[in-house]
Amino acid sequence: MSLRKTIWKTGGVPAAALLLVAPWALSQTPGGANAGRGGRGGMVVAAPAFDYANNEGWLQLFNGRDLTGWDGDTRYWNVDDGAIHVEPTCEKPTGTIYLVWQGGEPSDFMLKWESKGTEQVNGGIQFRSYMTADPNVHLKYYGRGGGGGTLVTAATAGGGRGPGGPGGRGPGGSGGQGGGGRAAQSAPCPSGQPRGTAPSRAEEAKWDMAGPQADFDAANQWPGSYYEQSSPRFIASAPGYVTLGLPGGQRVTLATLHDQATRDSWFKKNDYNQFLLVAKGNTIAQYMNGHLMSLFIDDDPDLFLPSGKIGIEVEATGGYWTRNIYLKRL
């Protein structure tokens, strides 16, 4: 039986959406794949558990040795211990910068990778995104309309990644998880420590990206959230929620998945965490270490992006490593 044809109750979450995008969340109970099929008393098991370590049929995006196939400011981006590495510091801040994969613009796909961070670092994986300097881009995010337009980032649009309130990443707002954007691009330095000069926007413009992001931070506040660079929705779906995006940038929460304490028990601080993103049509699911972190169903025809580029983003201060990056088109 195919994954899409299996149906079960999901506590308020649309069953079809979870079935489409939840391969890692399904596990096989004793008795085999058909256990419970003969009667209504047993649990329906859709498939064996997703094998994260199996790379057969996946495209390796990073070779583990150098930045072949990627483009960014190599004053900051490098390879360290088999991982793509960047480390903004007070002495050498980066602002918000990107490393862009040059292999295409996937539409429907699965993407898996491992990331770890230290100190206050914040970053993420861009997907279905576009280059803001592209003169052929004519879309509806802030600053869209080609390379001559002014990019309005979340930082300049106001708000921050702190909890609660308008512009924050905490609960609240009409969408259920708050609107708004990022905090300052560089975290505060210790008292008396001089801050270096970050690269100018003009220096980084050729690599600047906008669009959806699978978020990450070393403090485990945002891993698994669906964030949009330069979009009026910003945090479209926070970790721990199933969210429906409505026309006009509005959002509604369909279900709550888990709380912060639970997510902290899953997160490996200062160590690599395994991530899986499944993008199929207008449904995006994100997993961390085998757990569904967020599910976003995008029904906004103006803000939905069906395909685009993949990249890595970083800001604040601390080390950020990303390795074992694999793509499978659906």
Side-chain angles (χ1 to χ4, degrees):
M1 180 178 290
S2 71
L3 192 64
R4 298 185 186 182
K5 290 182 180 178
T6 308
I7 299 175
W8 76 92
K9 294 183 180 180
T10 58
V13 182
L18 285 181
L19 287 165
L20 182 63
V21 297
W24 205 355
L26 305 178
S27 60
Q28 184 167 315
T29 58
N34 294 323
R37 190 174 178 179
R40 295 178 181 268
M43 177 181 177
V44 176
V45 179
F50 176 77
D51 185 359
Y52 190 90
N54 184 1
N55 297 323
E56 183 177 355
W58 294 73
L59 174 65
Q60 186 177 17
L61 305 193
F62 167 57
N63 62 24
R65 301 182 304 275
D66 55 43
L67 296 179
T68 298
W70 296 79
D71 189 29
D73 191 337
T74 53
R75 293 178 298 174
Y76 304 99
W77 297 99
N78 56 67
V79 175
D80 176 60
D81 195 27
I84 293 175
H85 170 251
V86 62
E87 191 151 359
T89 65
C90 285
E91 297 82 6
K92 191 177 180 180
T94 63
T96 299
I97 61 172
Y98 303 84
L99 183 72
V100 187
W101 182 58
Q102 302 298 296
E105 300 188 6
S107 176
D108 291 350
F109 59 89
M110 299 171 68
L111 185 72
K112 60 181 181 177
W113 69 94
E114 296 177 323
S115 286
K116 71 174 180 178
T118 62
E119 299 180 31
Q120 303 175 79
V121 78
N122 194 299
I125 301 293
Q126 296 289 136
F127 64 96
R128 289 181 174 176
S129 294
Y130 64 93
M131 310 306 297
T132 63
D134 186 350
N136 298 311
V137 170
H138 299 284
L139 303 171
K140 297 181 181 178
Y141 279 13
Y142 289 143
R144 292 183 179 184
T150 301
L151 176 68
V152 181
T153 66
T156 59
R161 282 198 178 184
R169 283 203 168 189
S174 60
Q177 296 105 42
R182 296 174 181 269
Q185 294 178 344
S186 297
C189 293
S191 178
Q193 183 173 349
R195 178 183 293 279
T197 302
S200 68
R201 298 305 302 165
E203 289 179 276
E204 301 298 319
K206 65 176 291 187
W207 301 294
D208 203 14
M209 303 183 77
Q213 180 188 115
D215 211 342
F216 177 85
D217 72 299
N220 191 37
Q221 295 299 302
W222 307 117
S225 66
Y226 179 97
Y227 178 75
E228 290 181 330
Q229 292 280 26
S230 305
S231 161
R233 291 190 300 202
F234 300 115
I235 312 127
S237 184
Y241 293 95
V242 177
T243 309
L244 174 65
L246 300 172
Q250 299 299 307
R251 295 154 298 134
V252 293
T253 296
L254 300 179
T256 300
L257 299 172
H258 34 66
D259 60 16
Q260 183 66 55
T262 301
R263 294 191 292 276
D264 286 342
S265 72
W266 298 336
F267 186 70
K268 300 176 182 179
K269 189 173 178 61
N270 297 322
D271 199 357
Y272 283 101
N273 292 270
Q274 294 181 332
F275 293 93
L276 172 69
L277 183 147
V278 184
K280 181 66 174 176
N282 66 344
T283 303
I284 307 294
Q286 296 186 53
Y287 302 83
M288 181 182 75
N289 298 327
H291 302 281
L292 179 62
M293 298 298 287
S294 69
L295 181 65
F296 184 58
I297 306 163
D298 196 348
D299 195 34
D300 189 329
D302 290 331
L303 296 177
F304 170 66
L305 296 178
S307 63
K309 294 182 178 295
I310 291 172
I312 305 176
E313 181 264 350
V314 73
E315 60 185 47
T317 56
Y320 183 34
W321 291 262
T322 304
R323 69 183 186 185
N324 297 331
I325 311 171
Y326 289 88
L327 173 78
K328 177 180 280 189
R329 297 177 188 267
L330 299 176

